[in-house]
Amino acid sequence: MSADSTTTTPAAAGADAPGVHPGGRHLGLALFVIAAAQLMVVLDATITNIALPAIQTDLGVTDADLAWIVNSYALAFGGLMLLGGKAGDLFGRRRMFQVGIGVFTLASLLGGFAPDEGLLIGARILQGVGAALAAPSALALITTTFPAGRSRNTAMGVYAAMGGVGATVGMLLGGVLTDALDWRWVFFINIPIGLAVLAGTKFLVEAERHPGRLDVPGAVTGTGGLITLVYGITRGGEHGWTDGLALVSFAVAAVLLSAFLAIQSRAKDPMMPLRLLKDRNRSGSYATMLFVGAGMFATFYFLTLYMQLILGYSAVRTGFAYLPFSVGMGAAAAISSKLVSHLPPRLIAGPGLLVAAGGMLWFSTLGTDSSYAAHLMPAMFVTALGLGMSFVPMTLGAVSGVAHQDTGMASALLNTAQQVGGALGLAALSTISTSAADDRLPDAAANLYRAMGAKDFPLLAKAGEALTHGYTMAFVAAAVMFLAGLVVTFVAVNAGKQQHTEGAAPVHMG
């Protein structure tokens, strides 16, 4: 979720900024504004998933391009999150929060009216840009708006809860809107929320600005490199790995990402300070979260397609079908948050990732007529239980031993790793899935829709079997991703048991 699926500010959010804290009723309104914004940004990573089959049918989106509707948001959000945090430092957190919400709301309007897949993907990129500008400032605005003590602790708790429930709300709301109205309403729903948030920003207290400059070259090379890499993976899977455009994409990605690292090592105000990667526990946590994001994003994507296209679930039923995932994730996160003070992080996250990989292998045994109660529901719960065990120790590992002024940046990098990992993983796994399905039946997805329209039941059965085979191969690959994360955890993360670190932000669980 997309377990997509919480962000933090790259600057220290703990210090009180000068200024008068609003009181009483205004504090309640300020909390509503920040919570609504956080919920909107988080749920948008999952709300579109439920509408994917409807979007594909309405706009005639190819199987290869369908993943871009999810990936374009994740890439822009993850790739520009650190730049958005820096912009808040320089130009004012409230101002950048307002700009980000404004861009996000406008992009949602464009997405709702998009007449074709190209404009829809463009709107999703713009949504990601808006989220990357707004989300990093939200946490800092809590510390400047709410006085230290009970009111700030309550606000932090609500903020964290929005990160946790956002993915679930996205699934349920996406199902209801798609079934009751139209898939376009998964975008239109953001407009009244966005306008209400913008109106309420007058209750937020501006944070102190910091000197420095934006690392625009770093943002361009880093985000550009990721986009061309994902395009190369998608293109190679569709047209063969010797395809000229795919090879050019990989070459451009290599040049841009190398340039990004060179810029970060020399820049006075880098977007991603490389010093944060020198500690093995932090770099290990980031690498693990990259693999976790890769497997988790793909799980939501392929399970949604499987439930709607193969089992014939409605969008609403699909949304409710994900409830065991949320229950398992929440339960495991609560348990692991207590275990971190008794066990080293790798002894919590490692077994968790092993359990998650087991859940993925369980999903890989799905057939065209698998039962929800006996197969889908328990596999969902097991996978969520495993993933939930990994989030808290990895978050604490990312901020453990970090200088106070770098705590926000360290947490933001963990969120970035999850979003980027999700985009790269979904590109790779959708390539595997499409190739496996088309080996059984060329153009399996197109044949499924053709068979539905013509009521050609033999072709429908054959296409359903081919697509299911493709999905199960993707689940096997996701299990490998989690096992890779497990290896990284045990090799790189050697921290001992620890207490919660002040300033750690929640991580997207979707």
Side-chain angles (χ1 to χ4, degrees), residues 20-22 26-35 37 93-98 101 134 137-146 155 196-207:
V20 179
H21 291 288
H26 287 173
L27 277 181
L29 291 170
L31 180 56
F32 170 79
V33 167
I34 291 175
R93 299 280 169 66
R94 186 170 69 171
R95 178 180 294 175
M96 294 317 298
F97 183 78
Q98 290 168 330
I101 294 298
S137 293
L139 189 62
L141 286 168
I142 288 178
T143 62
T144 56
T145 302
F146 296 85
V197 167
L198 282 173
T201 54
K202 65 183 178 182
F203 299 113
L204 303 177
V205 176
E206 183 59 276

Side-chain angles (χ1 to χ4, degrees), residues 85-105:
K86 189 69 175 176
D89 281 349
L90 299 177
F91 308 121
R93 299 280 169 66
R94 186 170 69 171
R95 178 180 294 175
M96 294 317 298
F97 183 78
Q98 290 168 330
V99 170
I101 294 298
V103 170
F104 189 94
T105 305

Side-chain angles (χ1 to χ4, degrees), residues 38-342:
Q38 174 71 352
L39 182 65
M40 186 169 67
V41 167
V42 174
L43 71 80
D44 222 73
T46 56
I47 193 171
T48 317
N49 265 301
I50 298 295
L52 285 174
I55 293 171
Q56 185 171 30
T57 303
D58 195 25
L59 299 185
V61 184
T62 65
D63 241 24
D65 289 343
L66 194 64
W68 278 102
I69 294 171
V70 176
N71 264 350
S72 51
Y73 180 77
L75 280 170
F77 188 10
L80 296 173
M81 194 185 302
L82 297 177
L83 188 75
K86 189 69 175 176
D89 281 349
L90 299 177
F91 308 121
R93 299 280 169 66
R94 186 170 69 171
R95 178 180 294 175
M96 294 317 298
F97 183 78
Q98 290 168 330
V99 170
I101 294 298
V103 170
F104 189 94
T105 305
L106 176 61
S108 298
L109 183 66
L110 296 175
F113 284 118
D116 55 51
E117 66 183 81
L119 287 174
L120 180 58
I121 290 170
R124 289 287 283 165
I125 292 171
L126 200 57
Q127 277 187 316
V129 172
L133 292 173
S137 293
L139 189 62
L141 286 168
I142 288 178
T143 62
T144 56
T145 302
F146 296 85
R150 186 177 177 183
S151 65
R152 184 181 297 176
N153 292 340
T154 300
M156 286 288 191
V158 171
Y159 174 88
M162 291 303 102
V165 305
T168 306
V169 172
M171 293 290 186
L172 298 176
L173 190 58
V176 170
L177 291 172
T178 302
D179 267 5
L181 297 168
D182 183 70
W183 67 261
R184 296 180 183 276
W185 280 92
V186 304
F187 296 100
F188 289 146
I189 190 66
N190 290 324
I191 296 164
I193 300 173
L195 292 175
V197 167
L198 282 173
T201 54
K202 65 183 178 182
F203 299 113
L204 303 177
V205 176
E206 183 59 276
E208 184 181 357
R209 299 184 192 184
H210 302 280
R213 57 190 299 178
L214 280 181
D215 180 17
V216 176
V220 171
T221 52
T223 309
L226 290 170
I227 290 172
T228 50
L229 178 59
V230 169
Y231 179 78
I233 294 170
T234 307
R235 177 84 185 183
E238 193 175 3
H239 297 280
W241 299 107
T242 56
D243 175 74
L245 198 50
L247 294 175
V248 168
S249 297
F250 287 129
V252 171
V255 170
L256 288 175
L257 292 175
S258 299
F260 172 73
L261 291 175
I263 290 167
Q264 298 312 289
S265 66
R266 295 190 181 95
K268 185 180 178 183
D269 292 301
M271 189 173 84
M272 186 183 80
L274 297 182
R275 65 178 180 274
L276 291 175
L277 304 179
K278 290 180 180 177
D279 180 88
R280 63 183 291 172
N281 287 295
R282 275 198 297 281
S283 55
S285 295
Y286 297 146
T288 299
M289 193 54 73
L290 199 75
F291 286 117
V292 168
M296 192 171 68
F297 273 50
T299 302
F300 286 114
Y301 180 81
F302 292 113
L303 271 182
T304 297
L305 294 179
Y306 170 78
M307 285 190 278
Q308 292 194 39
L309 297 182
I310 308 302
L311 297 185
Y313 285 15
S314 67
V316 170
R317 188 178 178 186
T318 304
F320 278 99
Y322 276 112
L323 284 176
F325 200 99
S326 301
V327 172
M329 188 83 80
I335 294 167
S336 62
S337 66
K338 291 179 173 59
L339 290 176
V340 288
S341 59
H342 302 287

